[in-house]
Amino acid sequence: MTEPLPDPFADQPDWAPQPPRPIEIVPAAGSVELRGRRVLVGLPGLGWRADLRADERVVQNSRTYVPVIPEHEWYRAESDQVEVFAPLVPVERVWVETVGPATTPTTDGGLRLVSLDAPAHPAPTPVFEADSVTGRRVVHMVGAVEHRDLRAVTETYSGAEGDICVRVTPEMEWYRWAWRGQAPTTLEVPVHMLWVE
């Protein structure tokens, strides 16, 4: 008598896409290209500030600095081709968000402690497990393809086809909505295809 084969899909529903690759945080002092990248600034043991973008490193008096711009100003400068003020932050106080390798999601559901030596980033969370999503960065998964740099503009709602959905927009339009009042174009996406970044 032969034993039944294990079900390879037992831990994941057939309708659930694979999660996006997680965000990893690396020191800016490494050989990472910085222009336009999301960064965090801060001090180990003190804390971290996010929603910032970087420009290329600058060397002054033998010290290396990174011009750091609030994300909304970065998008305004890119969209309108205007100059914006960018304070110079010592490179050792800047960390860069990179997309890491694919991992298997864990659902420990408990308290997650982190080290204060470097900034941490949570693993991607399915939108249907999030408390609130409006304004949050989301990743739209279409098969194995990740669509990033999106913001949720609504909470979950019942779509026209009966799916539970969230409307999303590209980040450029999200920020343009703030500085020009120009309503963004949005896309209705079923929640099982969205992850909070």
Side-chain angles (χ1 to χ4, degrees):
M1 191 162 176
T2 61
E3 294 191 25
L5 293 173
D7 182 359
F9 301 105
D11 294 335
Q12 182 164 347
D14 60 353
W15 54 265
Q18 290 296 315
R21 293 171 294 162
I23 297 295
E24 288 186 349
I25 312 293
V26 298
S31 60
V32 177
E33 187 175 317
L34 293 178
R35 177 155 172 67
R37 301 291 293 275
R38 282 194 172 98
V39 295
L40 295 98
V41 299
L43 291 169
L46 177 66
W48 310 100
R49 179 158 183 235
D51 293 327
L52 303 168
R53 295 278 179 152
D55 209 338
E56 286 304 326
R57 294 170 187 83
V58 173
V59 177
Q60 290 183 351
N61 299 325
S62 73
R63 291 221 40 210
T64 304
Y65 297 92
V66 177
V68 175
I69 307 162
E71 198 165 54
H72 68 278
E73 287 291 302
W74 167 261
Y75 277 111
R76 188 171 67 85
E78 291 295 304
S79 173
D80 296 347
Q81 296 298 300
V82 297
E83 296 285 327
V84 295
F85 176 73
L88 298 178
V89 179
V91 71
E92 62 273 8
R93 293 185 181 183
V94 180
W95 297 74
V96 184
E97 288 189 12
T98 62
V99 178
T103 59
T104 304
T106 59
T107 56
D108 55 6
L111 182 64
R112 185 177 80 105
L113 300 177
V114 298
S115 168
L116 294 181
D117 294 335
H121 198 283
T125 303
V127 164
F128 57 82
E129 292 180 11
D131 291 337
S132 174
V133 293
T134 301
R136 305 224 9 223
R137 291 168 31 191
V138 293
V139 180
H140 178 197
M141 294 297 294
V142 180
V145 178
E146 302 171 353
H147 297 278
R148 293 182 180 265
D149 294 330
L150 300 171
R151 294 280 178 155
V153 295
T154 67
E155 293 298 327
T156 55
Y157 66 92
S158 180
E161 301 294 318
D163 288 332
I164 297 174
C165 299
V166 170
R167 292 192 90 62
V168 300
T169 192
E171 277 196 330
M172 175 70 82
E173 293 196 31
W174 168 258
Y175 286 112
R176 189 178 291 134
W177 193 12
W179 79 74
R180 285 194 189 153
Q182 179 180 343
T185 56
T186 62
L187 175 66
E188 182 177 82
V189 179
V191 293
H192 67 274
M193 299 174 76
L194 280 177
W195 297 76
V196 175
E197 192 169 50

